[in-house]
Amino acid sequence: AACVLTYFHLRGAAQAPVLAEARLLALTARIRPHFLFNSLNGVLGILRSDPRRAEEALEELSDLFRALMRENRDLVPLADEIALCERYLALERLRLGPRLTVRWDCGPDVGPARVPPLLLQPLVENAVYHGIEPGAGPGRVSILIARRGPEVIIEIANPVLDAERHHAGNRMAVDNIRERLMLFYDLEAALDTEQTDDAYRVRIRLPFRSER
């Protein structure tokens, strides 16, 4: 009986990394931008008036989907995640125009930090989708990224236009990111949310790691 128990224990331990990797890939594959058709419509809208910008937008869309379609099983530089978000936001500005403003507050030493792939873009997309798109006037998405000692702090904030709809719509993306953080970092990372009358915030805390 002891031998059988030992066998199953060793077998489970051997399979655990494989199962965790499969779970990670499934979670990553679930994240796909919903703005594809909106972006294409935005490109069509400026194709005649500004063909050069339309060409740049198609290149941005291609770069974005190339990143989204990778296997995404390894940590990536935070600088790459920031660049990916900038491409995404440039596409959203095609259709939202001056209604979308973004405030970046990034520390000078956060770029080399290694983070899970597709960490920022889905949360920024949620901020735009729930905090900017439904409104008639302009709104701001604020993104703060800073290193504090051995940790990296990320905070994304957006206006709240419909509190009940906003909370329900964000739950899946937030739960997805939280589970991926657990798979990569176990208890070393955390994701918390806060909603007030006028703002919704996602805060991420994770260990600073680099290739050095």
Side-chain angles (χ1 to χ4, degrees), residues 20 23-24 27 178-186:
R23 178 64 175 159
L24 175 62
L27 286 167
R178 183 180 286 117
E179 187 168 351
R180 292 172 61 220
L181 287 171
M182 179 69 71
L183 287 170
F184 273 108
Y185 300 108
D186 199 11

Side-chain angles (χ1 to χ4, degrees), residues 46-58:
I46 63 170
L47 189 59
R48 292 183 178 178
S49 61
D50 193 349
R52 185 177 183 83
R53 178 66 188 105
E55 182 180 354
E56 292 173 353
L58 289 175

Side-chain angles (χ1 to χ4, degrees), residues 44-89:
L44 291 174
I46 63 170
L47 189 59
R48 292 183 178 178
S49 61
D50 193 349
R52 185 177 183 83
R53 178 66 188 105
E55 182 180 354
E56 292 173 353
L58 289 175
E59 292 175 355
E60 291 164 353
L61 190 62
S62 175
D63 291 341
L64 186 59
F65 269 88
R66 190 177 297 112
L68 292 170
M69 296 304 292
R70 286 198 292 260
E71 289 188 349
N72 296 313
R73 66 180 71 193
D74 300 317
L75 298 175
V76 299
L78 182 52
D80 291 354
E81 286 290 290
I82 293 172
L84 187 68
C85 281
E86 290 174 339
R87 293 189 186 98
Y88 161 74
L89 290 167

